[in-house]
Amino acid sequence: MKKYIYILLLPVWLLLYLNLSNISDFLVYDIFRMPEGKHITDSVWFFLFEVPKVMLLLILIVFVVGIIRSWFSPEKTRKALEGKSLFVGNVMASGLGIVTPFCSCSAIPLFLGFVEAGIPIGVTFSFLIAAPLINEVALILLAGLFGWKVALIYVFTGLIIAVVAGFVLEKLKLQKYVAEWVFQVKANQNGIEEQKLDLKDRLQAGANAVKEIVGKIWIYILIGIAVGAGAHGFVPDDFLGEIIGAGKWYAVPLAILLGIPMYSNAAGIIPIVSVLMEKGVTLGTALAFMMSVIGLSLPEVIILKKVLKWQLIFIFVAVVAVGITAVGFIFNFLNI
């Protein structure tokens, strides 16, 4: 019975999620007795509504993905990419990047495993680009906040960037800019013995994923939503529109430059993106900002410095930035 407790909690999750607006109204206007129409009231309501909304969505999707990931491992991912042609490898690597975890603890061993297996550098980079950029948490949160049209646009454009960037990086023959010690590491020919997991184990894997991931990023979610709440209540509607709004030729590159130094993840940045669009920033510019924060953050660059030389890191950042810029301009031009 204990192993099914997570499934039995689903109706509770659904009840809370469907009544978030009413709960926020009750807290703000009945408990706190805040006056309607004030900036501070709007900000507090936004914060109290978005925090549980984002957290509920995050817990559900991380739990589900944690179960799915119990069928995957770095070794399985590496084996799946071995022996594939460049383009097929780029596409497969990008797809695997969506469902395979990528973080500071997994960057080096995954990269090493790919190189040791003889997987082309470009295919490896397709994986490294897609893993943080096409984030399953971001997908669900985008769908919840903006609808599935925007969420699917995010996935489609992210895949294109990962595939094309990996293909270009391979054609540039940049293997010489990988740290020498990487090629000196001997591959583990025996691989890793796969564990046999039953339903209870997989449900527990989902619960463990929630504990680990949500436990690490909840503070960034609160910070991101707090920033968004402040902008929602106090930033004039036309202020952000004047800086990076529609009609500004420099909006997309400026948004990317603003995003790169930021340290956040999908769960923390999407509430801010929501407010940007609410204040008049176009979808293309908002997506470019989000992708630069998630896919080109300085912490990721520092991590990659352990296995790559600066020349390759600069080229990697430049190629991805060009792809993100193209996405931003295209969607602004199409006025989606």
Side-chain angles (χ1 to χ4, degrees), residues 224-284:
I225 294 177
V227 172
H232 176 85
F234 291 96
V235 176
D237 290 344
D238 58 351
F239 177 73
L240 290 173
E242 291 178 357
I243 299 177
I244 54 175
K248 303 294 191 301
W249 67 267
Y250 54 81
V252 172
L254 179 58
I256 294 173
L257 289 175
L258 291 173
I260 290 176
M262 295 185 64
Y263 178 54
S264 184
N265 46 51
I269 201 62
I270 286 179
I272 300 176
V273 171
S274 175
V275 174
L276 288 176
M277 293 183 64
E278 177 187 300
K279 298 298 182 180
V281 176
T282 58
L283 175 60

Side-chain angles (χ1 to χ4, degrees), residues 46 60 72 132 157 163 174 274 281 311 314 318:
F46 182 92
L60 179 63
F72 288 85
T157 53
V163 172
L174 300 173
S274 175
V281 176
Q311 297 95 321
F314 287 140

Side-chain angles (χ1 to χ4, degrees), residues 177 301-302 304-305 308-316:
Y177 295 124
V301 170
I302 293 172
L304 289 176
K305 181 60 180 71
L308 305 178
K309 297 180 181 178
W310 280 116
Q311 297 95 321
L312 182 49
I313 291 178
F314 287 140
I315 295 172
F316 165 72

Side-chain angles (χ1 to χ4, degrees), residues 3 30 34 72 85 89 154 310:
K3 66 181 179 180
D30 295 336
M34 302 184 73
F72 288 85
S85 64
Y154 159 75
W310 280 116

Side-chain angles (χ1 to χ4, degrees), residues 28-66:
V28 171
Y29 301 118
D30 295 336
I31 300 298
F32 300 151
R33 296 188 179 279
M34 302 184 73
E36 295 187 32
K38 298 293 185 180
H39 293 309
I40 184 64
T41 302
D42 292 342
S43 292
V44 171
W45 191 96
F46 182 92
F47 184 82
L48 292 177
F49 176 77
E50 290 295 337
V51 167
K53 180 180 180 180
V54 169
M55 291 300 295
L56 284 171
L57 286 170
L58 183 64
I59 289 170
L60 179 63
I61 189 58
V62 169
F63 179 75
V64 173
V65 172

Side-chain angles (χ1 to χ4, degrees), residues 26 34 49 51 73 102 104 138 157 159 185 190 216-217 223 237 268 272 287 298 307 309:
F26 176 73
M34 302 184 73
F49 176 77
V51 167
S73 69
F102 177 86
S104 58
T157 53
L159 280 171
V185 178
N190 297 324
K216 288 181 179 179
I217 70 175
I223 293 172
D237 290 344
I272 300 176
L287 282 177
L298 286 179
V307 292
K309 297 180 181 178

